[in-house]
Amino acid sequence: MDKIRIIGGRPLEGTIDISGAKNAALILMAAGLLTDERLVLENVPDLADVETMGQLLAQHGIAVDRPAPRTLSLGGAITNVEAPYDIVRKMRASILVLGPLLTRAHEARVSLPGGCAIGTRPVDLHLKGLEAMGAEIRLDGGYIDATAPHGLHGANITFPFVSVGATENLMLAASLAEGETVLVNAAREPEISDLATCLIAMGADITGIGTDRLAILGVKSLHGARHTIIPDRIETGTYACAAAITGGALLLRGARPADLGAVLATLAQAGVDITETPDGLRVSRRNGLHGTDAMTEPFPGFATDMQAQFMTLMAVAEGASMITESIFENRFMHVPELNRMGARVNVHGASAIVRGVPTLSGAPVMATDLRASFSLVLAGLAARGETIVNRVYHLDRGYEAVERKLAACGADIERLAA
Ligand code: EPZ
């Protein structure tokens, strides 16, 4: 398993090109199941998860071509409605093929994703919503067996709490269902709006984009389209933390500030200087960082996918911070690793108290999940001495060319092939 070696203490200076959003790319690829015609996606990030989703679609019968760099062309008829355990267990987002398979092929057999490091990650809201739309669903041998012999019909669905994946799965299902589906308490993440924009380009009828009430009027069929994926807001926030924690200055080229919601305001409150420019976001830090509280919430609140990275930043801030994780039940696994580097973090249930320290010290650490792994890279960039981050396959799932992007801005970082 590859490792990453960092010698810390060097301010990052330069430009980082923000890649296409992982969490938009995956759902947009699943939308390729909704038509036999070509769906061409541009600004596709080069990530392990995108590769896995491509393999999943290919075994459903969808041709997955790469006509140009960062471009995917998807097309073809569905020939297999089963999403096998050995792919789904690698990437939970595989569950997002359930809605399109059901609405298009009227049946689906998708392995239950199972939990992951950050939580049990149930999919009950996905299943309840599809049942409300007429699907018959059985759980059998770790698989979801779903049928809709007469196709799906519209329904009024109110989510008890915000779920990005459930909102996305039901949007795809509703786009070809008979009649209107209204999703209340729908997720409002930028990736949802990006999906809606792409579906409309394919001929879908969707209103309420950007709000928590989406109305989708099913159409007979969808056609091909060409869609450019939005920039990755989590990558943007992550590299903003890298500029701040190293006391450098970075231009995050292509970043869309509005997509960061409360993250920008919280970083500014902590003492990070953020300026919008025609090219993206310029991030630096003139003075010290000070302890700032954060609570993760659905968009436009503070993104849970930024919690671990922000915690590392607060680990070297002046004063204390209270960081509360309200979305996932086990998303503090970076804490023991940060504490091994000299951070002072105490977890109490869903909250962590971070008492800032002047500096961190390099150490061998273990990545546990995607965002936690980058929080350790951030710690290594700021720490005195050498840090070795183990199990960096986690990093490769969601961040493109980390060492290249960081080394080009002055970081002393290299990948050690295991
Ligand atoms: C998406 O996951 C993202 N993944 C996650 O990003 C992100 O952290 C999350 O949304 C929240 O923003 C992708 O888009 C591929 P949810 P998702 O459904 O859809 C519970 C990353 O690092 N829940 O909004 O799975 C769930 O357990 C990843 O890029 C149910 O209980 O998240 C969680 O506690 C990590 N039942 C909460 O809701 C359900 O049926 C929010 O989950 C569905 C979810």
Side-chain angles (χ1 to χ4, degrees):
M1 284 183 222
D2 286 2
K3 305 175 181 182
I4 280 184
R5 176 178 176 275
I6 302 166
I7 304 294
R10 300 169 61 146
L12 297 180
E13 311 273 348
T15 296
I16 288 188
D17 285 317
I18 298 301
S19 303
K22 165 180 87 83
N23 291 346
L26 297 177
I27 186 64
L28 288 164
M29 290 173 74
L33 289 161
L34 293 173
T35 175
D36 289 356
E37 295 182 20
R38 281 278 159 186
L39 173 60
V40 179
L41 298 173
E42 293 177 327
N43 197 30
V44 179
D46 181 12
L47 301 171
D49 273 7
V50 169
E51 207 50 47
T52 305
M53 184 58 91
Q55 290 160 13
L56 180 62
L57 294 179
Q59 64 91 44
H60 284 309
I62 304 297
V64 180
D65 301 318
R66 292 180 175 273
R70 300 179 182 292
T71 302
L72 271 182
S73 171
L74 307 170
I78 295 169
T79 56
N80 163 43
V81 295
E82 177 163 327
Y85 174 66
D86 67 335
I87 296 182
V88 176
R89 69 183 171 80
K90 276 193 293 185
M91 186 187 62
R92 309 180 28 69
S94 307
I95 188 69
L96 297 173
V97 302
L98 178 60
L101 287 172
L102 253 186
T103 203
R104 189 93 203 286
H106 298 175
E107 59 175 329
R109 181 170 157 75
V110 176
S111 167
L112 274 163
C116 76
I118 64 176
T120 55
R121 309 290 294 276
V123 291
D124 53 316
L125 299 187
H126 301 239
L127 303 185
K128 282 186 192 126
L130 291 170
E131 283 175 331
M133 296 174 71
E136 285 148 35
I137 290 178
R138 272 184 331 108
L139 301 185
D140 168 41
Y143 276 75
I144 301 162
D145 268 332
T147 56
H150 311 295
L152 295 174
H153 57 70
N156 289 324
I157 295 162
T158 298
F159 294 112
F161 47 82
V162 172
S163 162
V164 170
T167 301
E168 292 170 338
N169 230 333
L170 297 180
M171 281 171 74
L172 296 181
S175 60
L176 290 174
E178 180 69 37
E180 182 180 56
T181 297
V182 178
L183 303 179
V184 176
N185 200 19
R188 295 165 52 195
E189 273 66 5
E191 293 77 26
I192 303 273
S193 301
D194 201 36
L195 172 64
T197 304
C198 179
L199 288 172
I200 288 169
M202 295 168 70
D205 180 339
I206 302 175
T207 52
I209 298 176
T211 76
D212 62 1
R213 185 184 186 282
L214 293 170
I216 304 114
L217 185 58
V219 294
K220 280 272 167 276
S221 66
L222 293 174
H223 50 72
R226 179 178 287 270
H227 178 80
T228 300
I229 297 172
I230 56 172
D232 195 313
R233 60 196 173 99
I234 305 303
E235 186 190 27
T236 302
T238 302
Y239 284 117
C241 291
I245 203 167
T246 59
L250 290 176
L251 171 63
L252 306 179
R253 188 154 51 192
R256 280 191 347 173
D259 289 355
L260 281 125
V263 169
L264 279 195
T266 307
L267 289 175
Q269 206 184 329
V272 182
D273 300 304
I274 301 167
T275 316
E276 290 189 33
T277 75
D279 296 331
L281 277 180
R282 186 169 295 286
V283 184
S284 60
R285 172 166 61 84
R286 275 191 302 269
N287 307 310
L289 292 166
H290 24 269
T292 303
D293 295 349
M295 175 182 283
T296 65
E297 290 176 320
F299 188 85
F302 191 97
T304 175
D305 294 347
M306 277 299 304
Q307 180 259 106
Q309 300 92 303
F310 185 68
M311 184 182 286
T312 299
L313 191 63
M314 292 299 95
V316 292
E318 180 79 31
S321 312
M322 165 88 88
I323 298 180
T324 301
E325 172 55 59
S326 66
I327 307 287
F328 290 107
E329 67 268 28
N330 187 34
R331 204 170 196 176
F332 283 140
M333 280 158 309
H334 42 287
V335 169
E337 299 303 303
L338 289 176
N339 287 345
R340 294 186 59 246
M341 297 179 70
R344 291 180 59 206
V345 185
N346 286 335
V347 174
H348 293 273
S351 293
I353 286 280
V354 185
R355 293 182 176 83
V357 295
T359 56
L360 298 173
S361 48
V365 288
M366 187 74 74
T368 50
D369 59 271
L370 169 57
R371 306 302 174 182
S373 53
F374 214 118
S375 77
L376 301 177
V377 170
L378 291 172
L381 290 169
R384 232 187 9 261
E386 176 185 81
T387 297
I388 303 280
V389 182
N390 293 288
R391 296 191 180 168
V392 287
Y393 62 86
H394 289 292
L395 208 58
D396 298 336
R397 293 190 52 184
Y399 288 100
E400 184 180 326
V402 173
E403 315 91 83
R404 176 170 58 77
K405 292 187 177 186
L406 287 171
C409 294
D412 183 344
I413 182 171
E414 62 174 329
R415 181 177 291 251
L416 308 173

